[in-house]
Structures are given as C-alpha cells and as structure tokens.
Amino acid sequence: MALTAITNARVFDGEKTLGVQTVVIDGARIARVGGDAPRDSEIVDGGGATLLPGLIDAHVHSAPGSLALALRFGVTTELEMQGMNTRENRGLITDDDTVADVRSAGFAITPPGGHPSELMPEGFRPKWDLPPVMPLMPFSTTPEEAAAFVPQLLARGSDFIKFMIDDGSVEGHPGLPSLDQATVNAGVAEAKKYGALTVAHALTVEATRMAAEAGIDGVAHVFMDQPHTAEIISLLKDAGMFVIPCISLNASMMGITGSALADDPRVAARLDSKWDQTLRSSYNRYPQGKLDDVYDTVRALDAADIDVLAGTDVSMPETFFGGLAHGASLHHELQYLVAAGLTPSRALRAATATTARRFHLSDRGRIAEGLRADLLLVDGDPTSNISDTLNTRTIWRRGTRLTD
C-alpha cells in the first residue's frame, strides 16, 4: 500500500500545536510525524489547513445511519452511553471505514420505570433492525441486583458500566424511580473488582454528589438545577472524576434549539431533512434553567483542572430529542465549551486526547507514530477560531480517506 504524506498543514496533535509538520500515513497507522515526505508517497497538500486527530464524541446514543453521519463531520469515534453496539454486535462496524468507530455501555443500570423511560412518548418504538444479540437490560432496585448485573454486562460486551441517577425532576417527572446511594455504591464497587470504567448520568447537584460518593469515574452531564459551589467542584476534583458537560443537551433542555447550527451551510449540506428538523427542535423540558450557570460551572471545572470531555447526548432523529444531530453537534459542543471559557486548544483536547485517555483508548485521540490514522484536515486554524473545525477538507478513518 502506498504511503500518504500530508504536508504543509499546521498539526494539533491532540495536546498541543506542533506547527507545520509532515504527517505520514502507512495503511491504517500514522508512520511518522515530521521530516520530509517519503519518495513516491501520495502527497496531500495541507497548505492553509490544520490537521487534527479524528474527533471523539464522549456521549451519544446510536440510531440507524448515525455512525455514518458522525464520520461525515470528522467524528471518527462515538462513545455510546446506552445502546446496542456492544462488543458482540459491532464486528462489522470495527472494519467499516465508512462509519465512525464506537464503544458502548450497552444498557445502563436503572430501576424499572426509571430514566430514560420518561423521555419516550407513549407507544413510541424506535424503528431499527434488532442486533444479533440483544443487550442485557439491567433493571435494578437493590444493591444485590446492581452488583450481580455488572459481571453480566461485561461478559456481554459492555465497554464501561453506566448508572442512571435521576429522579426526573429536571425532565418534568419528579418522583421518577431512581437508584439509591447503596445501590450505586454496590454496583460501582463490583465494577472496580473487574477494573471496569464507570460513568453516571447525573443532571442535578445531588445526583452528582451521589456519583462522587460511590467512586464513579466520571459523570456524563454537568448538573443544571443550580449554580456550582466551591464545595461541589472540590468534591469532583478530590474524587479524580471527569465531566462530560453536554452543554448542547443542557441548552436543548432549556428550550434552545440548534437552528443557528442548522443554518450554517457547512452543516446544512450534510444533514437530511429528518436530522435538520430534529436539530431545529429542542427538548424544552427545563425552561427555567440558566445557561450562564452551566457556563460558570464548566469554567470552574476547567479552572480546577478537572478533565472536561466533549460530548453531546445526541440520539435519534426525533423532534422530542431535538436540538442535536450526530457529528454536527460535537462541533457545536466545542463552540459551547469555548463560550464557557475554555481556550480553543483545551476544547479540542476535550474531543481528542483527554477523552481517549480517560476511556483508555490508547490507539487514538492523538497524532503520534504508531496510532490509528483517524485524522481530520480542516481549513483555517481552530486553535484560534473554534468554528474552523467545521471547515472540513479531508477525513481519514484508519488511513482510509472518506469520499462522498
């Protein structure tokens, strides 16, 4: 297989800007960073562009066609926080360079009737083909049940274990069945025996506090029910937790649509009518929320050097899951992170190296010799103007260039 050399591009390696460097791809891997282009290699002139690692969305729920849509926006990996793409079901995805790669929690530990059941309209059934192996449904109401499900989930191909800690207050369903502290503690303790990563869905300060007390590795939302305090920031810091703020989801919960993003011609050209309609809608379940409070919390997390990861909570093309679209919304999330006060470089790290490190994806998220050639070449310089991430010039997934 011929070598490919990307020349004259500024390189952001996932951690820092390297300046103009030549990056050489050999098959599915990055063979070299720096030096001259090898003789007889295919030359891709990156003049005026920036080369980034393929982006990682740290919080999604897959739908038919969503992995292909994500890749069209340079999102080369999605982390599924509830869904069917467990290890036993994704063999074809792993080797398909026309779609984003995926890792999955399978289904989260939650009580019967607990979150996310309240989000589904009565009678709604997703329209997709069932996978070869149906994921385990780990409905739990006691510590014993939660602990017993953990090894079963891991054996069935879950890459990490997720816990739903949600009483429905933010979604307009107060009193929703929710995991109690003892049940979360037991499940997390069992996961630690297997060395499994744990993540919690938590939209309130109290749910976040419960996750920290249980020893959860990270929360898949930032709380939106009240402003942050120094105490909760210190709690997250001392626990060594990561946070996936999903500001784009919080905005949607507050009734803010993604219409401005959908109007961007760089986005509109890649969305079909169903996804366009979804992006122009919103959840609108917590209109009393204050986006400035969320911004302040994210800024405080970053100032405390708590790992912030970029995720969206995008799911299906349905208006009741509105304000979000696969791929496109990760770029929106980067813009939101910068609006909250992160530098563009820190926002880019949140979608590349930081997420790869926290989810133990040691083969991606950076531009370095020997790693997967998951790459995104964009016009401009997103380390100065984060919106430039949407100026897609070329996308590679395992060294294979995506073609429309």
Side-chain angles (χ1 to χ4, degrees):
M1 183 179 294
L3 301 177
T4 298
I6 305 163
T7 64
N8 300 320
R10 291 176 295 270
V11 175
F12 178 81
D13 72 353
E15 295 282 358
K16 60 187 179 302
T17 299
L18 303 181
V20 175
Q21 296 277 3
T22 294
V23 174
V24 179
I25 301 172
D26 184 359
R29 299 283 167 176
I30 298 168
R32 197 174 73 223
V33 179
D36 297 326
R39 184 178 301 175
D40 298 328
S41 59
E42 176 191 1
I43 302 297
V44 176
D45 184 2
T50 300
L51 187 66
L52 306 167
L55 304 178
I56 305 171
D57 190 330
H59 189 155
V60 309
H61 304 279
S62 299
S66 62
L67 292 171
L69 179 59
L71 188 61
R72 292 185 67 195
F73 283 92
V75 177
T76 53
T77 303
E78 291 194 321
L79 304 182
E80 186 180 71
M81 289 293 153
Q82 175 143 302
M84 301 183 182
N85 289 309
T86 49
R87 193 164 49 250
E88 58 204 347
N89 286 327
R90 63 168 181 259
L92 295 178
I93 293 171
T94 299
D95 296 325
D96 185 351
D97 293 321
T98 67
V99 300
D101 198 14
V102 65
R103 297 292 182 272
S104 181
F107 278 71
I109 294 176
T110 194
H115 181 80
S117 63
E118 83 285 0
L119 299 179
M120 310 295 178
E122 187 174 352
F124 174 75
R125 294 290 182 273
K127 299 179 179 65
W128 58 53
D129 294 333
L130 295 178
V133 181
M134 279 298 294
L136 186 66
M137 303 291 185
F139 293 122
S140 301
T141 56
T142 68
E144 294 76 17
E145 288 174 338
F149 272 124
V150 168
Q152 296 178 61
L153 286 164
L154 295 172
R156 293 279 292 273
S158 292
D159 297 288
F160 39 91
I161 304 297
K162 186 179 179 185
F163 298 83
M164 299 292 195
I165 310 176
D166 193 334
D167 64 2
S169 57
V170 170
E171 297 91 342
H173 283 76
L176 195 72
S178 183
L179 300 176
D180 62 20
Q181 187 71 64
T183 302
V184 179
N185 290 353
V188 174
E190 188 69 14
K192 287 180 183 293
K193 294 179 184 178
Y194 292 85
L197 186 77
T198 54
V199 180
H201 163 100
L203 287 171
T204 65
V205 168
E206 180 56 30
T208 303
R209 192 185 312 277
M210 286 178 62
E213 182 176 321
I216 290 274
D217 290 301
V219 284
H221 291 280
V222 71
F223 51 84
M224 58 189 298
D225 62 324
Q226 57 184 279
H228 73 276
T229 62
E231 186 268 338
I232 192 67
I233 298 298
S234 294
L235 183 65
L236 294 168
K237 172 71 172 178
D238 293 344
M241 296 170 70
F242 61 81
V243 178
I244 310 169
C246 296
I247 303 174
S248 46
L249 180 279
N250 284 12
S252 177
M253 292 286 284
M254 296 172 190
I256 301 169
T257 73
S259 292
L261 182 68
D263 287 338
D264 188 324
R266 299 172 298 177
V267 173
R270 296 180 243 188
L271 297 181
D272 64 21
S273 59
K274 188 71 171 173
W275 277 113
D276 177 80
Q277 182 183 21
T278 299
L279 188 55
R280 294 180 186 279
S281 305
S282 73
Y283 276 72
N284 196 27
R285 288 173 174 265
Y286 198 69
Q288 67 269 40
K290 297 179 180 179
L291 193 59
D292 283 343
D293 286 348
V294 173
Y295 282 160
D296 289 345
T297 300
V298 172
R299 186 160 54 250
L301 294 168
D302 183 56
D305 286 327
I306 293 168
D307 282 335
V308 172
L309 281 56
T312 62
D313 203 8
V314 61
S315 54
M316 292 177 278
E318 301 286 350
T319 55
F320 51 84
F321 293 135
L324 304 166
H326 282 267
S329 290
L330 186 63
H331 295 270
H332 204 192
E333 185 70 15
L334 296 178
Q335 295 171 25
Y336 272 128
L337 289 172
V338 171
L342 273 67
T343 66
S345 290
R346 288 180 81 87
L348 290 170
R349 284 200 287 275
T352 55
T354 302
T355 295
R357 172 170 53 82
R358 293 305 302 244
F359 277 84
H360 310 306
L361 301 172
S362 59
D363 62 345
R364 68 197 70 191
R366 293 173 294 122
I367 298 177
E369 184 175 335
L371 300 191
R372 282 171 61 112
D374 290 351
L375 300 166
L376 172 61
L377 185 67
V378 298
D379 290 322
D381 181 8
T383 66
S384 298
N385 178 11
I386 196 64
S387 176
D388 284 351
T389 60
L390 279 166
N391 295 335
T392 306
R393 188 185 293 189
T394 312
I395 299 161
W396 291 266
R397 200 262 204 186
R398 294 195 314 172
T400 297
R401 191 186 309 201
L402 183 67
T403 56
D404 291 330

